[in-house]
Amino acid sequence: MYTQLQMRDSTRPPVSLATLDRMKASGEKIACLTCYDASFAVLVDEADTDVVLVGDSLGMVIQGHDTTVPVTMDDMVYHCRAVARGLQRPLLMADLPFASYPTRDVALANAVRLMQEGGAEMVKLESGPSQIDIVEFLASHDVAVCAHLGLKPQSVHKTGGFRVQGREADAAERMIASARALESAGADIVLLECIPTELGRRITDALTVPVIGIGAGPHTDGQILVLYDVLDVTTGRKPRFVLNCMEGAGSNLEAMRRYVRAVKDKSYPAPEHCFA
Ligand code: KIV
């Protein structure tokens, strides 16, 4: 009994929500990366990443689609299960993909799939006022939830592209109100994508739960990037928040360590990675 737990390296206890809360309270930045397979998961863990996201960005970086919209629940479960096999210390979060959370019951059934079949410890969903009751329902069924605000890639066909969000005063106020409502509904983490630095600071200060940013400025409690951007594998035009850690690094593991170090010592994100 408990063999798996006993085999864990006790010098590196697993990251839990309580760990992240403590990091927010102490001011230690939370370093997060995406990951899509077991081999990279072993390295991401060895690099001391705190949170690993099996993101639906896999639709773009693994499957070669232009957006995340074609990604299915089966795709997510497949990649999540592979990543889970490679991880010991980091908290494992997985995306609920496009149209997989239209109602509370469907959202719960799909969150359960990610947890029971995929090994995820937390699910992330692109959120706004329409998802508040879904977050509440998941939280009331003991599902750990990350609410994703700001640029929501699953909505690009509706919103008209990958753009910075929350620049206008009323949009910024609406986002702050949504973040507060999602926290009250039971979200355990909020993730902010592509918003102005000042809005990232305001939302982080307004919430008690940890806030992770991607292109949301230096004031969030943690940072996340797509692994393939850090490893300089992605081709084409890169968003300004991307940090290429391969330059001068001798290996993938060294590049991941550089990223974690840059988040922890707050040298990333620098002003050139941020939006006004
Ligand atoms: O799918 C993903 O990789 C994400 C990150 C960009 C935060 O949602």
Side-chain angles (χ1 to χ4, degrees):
M1 202 172 170
Y2 303 130
T3 318
Q4 287 299 109
L5 290 176
Q6 283 163 0
M7 275 166 51
R8 281 175 184 268
D9 179 352
S10 60
T11 59
R12 299 177 76 238
V15 174
S16 64
L17 285 176
T19 318
L20 302 182
D21 288 341
R22 277 197 299 275
M23 289 169 79
K24 176 170 180 125
S26 70
E28 178 182 345
K29 295 286 181 182
I30 302 165
C32 320
L33 279 171
T34 68
C35 190
Y36 316 101
D37 70 28
S39 300
F40 275 127
V42 171
L43 297 182
V44 163
D45 186 335
E46 211 172 322
D48 267 337
T49 309
D50 299 307
V51 178
V52 170
L53 168 68
V54 182
D56 60 357
S57 50
L58 70 85
M60 299 169 82
V61 298
I62 302 285
Q63 298 174 333
H65 296 294
D66 290 334
T67 73
T68 60
V69 172
V71 177
T72 65
M73 269 307 300
D74 285 348
D75 294 333
M76 290 306 306
V77 168
Y78 174 89
H79 286 279
C80 196
R81 193 187 289 144
V83 171
R85 289 191 193 111
L87 291 187
Q88 288 206 14
R89 178 183 170 271
L91 183 84
L92 178 56
M93 166 157 77
D95 267 332
L96 281 166
F98 177 68
S100 68
Y101 43 100
T103 64
R104 296 163 14 143
D105 289 328
V106 173
L108 180 60
N110 283 326
V112 167
R113 280 198 69 193
L114 287 175
M115 294 173 73
Q116 291 190 329
E117 296 175 47
E121 294 163 303
M122 169 175 245
V123 302
K124 173 163 86 58
L125 63 159
E126 297 187 6
S127 306
S130 320
Q131 281 71 43
I132 289 168
D133 70 321
I134 291 173
V135 168
E136 193 163 35
F137 193 65
L138 293 178
S140 73
H141 286 80
D142 296 327
V143 177
V145 179
C146 172
H148 180 150
L149 287 167
L151 171 59
K152 293 184 264 184
Q154 291 172 13
S155 309
V156 284
H157 295 312
K158 187 89 176 158
T159 55
F162 297 90
R163 292 206 195 90
V164 179
Q165 301 293 307
R167 276 199 163 128
E168 307 75 20
D170 58 338
E173 294 308 322
R174 277 199 305 275
M175 206 183 296
I176 295 169
S178 288
R180 283 206 167 103
L182 288 158
E183 177 180 63
S184 300
D188 301 282
I189 293 187
V190 167
L191 186 144
L192 303 173
E193 178 163 356
C194 266
I195 62 169
T197 290
E198 176 56 14
L199 182 54
R201 186 191 64 71
R202 287 183 65 194
I203 295 177
T204 306
D205 289 350
L207 302 188
T208 55
V209 296
V211 176
I212 309 299
I214 174 164
H219 305 296
T220 55
D221 302 305
Q223 301 290 331
I224 185 161
L225 282 177
V226 168
L227 177 63
Y228 286 13
D229 288 339
V230 168
L231 300 182
D232 198 28
V233 174
T234 324
T235 50
R237 200 176 142 262
K238 296 186 180 64
R240 67 180 291 155
F241 53 76
V242 164
L243 184 69
N244 168 9
C245 295
M246 274 313 281
E247 248 169 69
S251 66
N252 289 159
L253 177 57
E254 176 52 22
M256 294 175 202
R257 285 196 167 125
R258 283 173 177 216
Y259 166 74
V260 171
R261 221 164 27 236
V263 171
K264 298 279 179 190
D265 70 17
K266 304 179 189 164
S267 56
Y268 175 79
E272 68 265 26
H273 303 118
C274 301
F275 299 104

